[in-house]
Amino acid sequence: MSEADLHRVEQLKQRDREVRAHEMAHVAAGAGVVTSGASYSYETGPDGRRYAVGGEVGINVSPGRTPEETLSRAEKIRAAALAPADPSGQDRQIAARAASMAAEARVELATRSRDEDAAGPAQAYRLAESGGRAPETGSALDTYA
């Protein structure tokens, strides 16, 4: 092989190492959200060997069944997307999508918590009016400031 061919083989070897490390970082950080192992696109070098020059890992980016599950999944998706030392543009897009999903889940959790808090006193009053007992906790009003 010529010196140019040897140089090209070294470049391909380096790219192969980078691509494989990048995709394995996604897999290692994506437990529970990775749907498939790494798949690679290859280039054949002047030495006749195939070198990975691109790759991808399947990640399930769908929300969970509950806001809590969605929040957990979003955090795992974001971690998997940003796991490589040098995340790609597509990796950053997936991470942003996961951050948005997490924000929506947090809003839903906050809304649910607010609604449950608001329902607590109203339910206690309804029980008291109907002759039932109000719940022990949270049923008293503190009028001292």
Side-chain angles (χ1 to χ4, degrees):
M1 282 194 300
S2 70
E3 192 171 317
D5 287 345
L6 291 173
H7 181 67
R8 180 66 185 143
V9 166
E10 284 306 312
Q11 288 176 324
L12 288 170
K13 284 180 180 179
Q14 177 62 30
R15 178 67 182 152
D16 184 274
R17 284 190 295 274
E18 291 169 359
V19 167
R20 290 179 190 280
H22 182 103
E23 301 310 329
M24 286 302 108
H26 287 309
V27 171
V33 294
V34 171
T35 60
S36 65
S39 63
Y40 300 100
S41 55
Y42 296 93
E43 182 177 319
T44 303
D47 59 354
R49 294 189 60 205
R50 291 173 9 132
Y51 298 93
V53 294
E56 64 181 53
V57 171
I59 296 178
N60 181 350
V61 295
S62 64
R65 292 182 301 267
T66 64
E68 294 87 356
E69 187 178 317
T70 297
L71 185 56
S72 175
R73 288 178 58 79
E75 290 168 354
K76 289 177 185 176
I77 292 165
R78 186 173 184 281
L82 297 178
D86 187 21
S88 69
Q90 185 176 4
D91 296 339
R92 292 180 195 281
Q93 286 177 343
I94 297 295
R97 196 164 146 193
S100 176
M101 184 188 314
E104 289 174 20
R106 284 187 189 97
V107 166
E108 191 171 338
L109 286 169
T111 301
R112 182 183 353 161
S113 176
R114 185 194 70 221
D115 291 347
E116 287 172 357
D117 289 347
Q123 184 179 7
Y125 291 125
R126 282 193 300 275
L127 283 171
E129 287 174 354
S130 67
R133 284 186 47 118
E136 294 295 320
T137 58
S139 62
L141 221 57
D142 184 3
T143 58
Y144 300 103

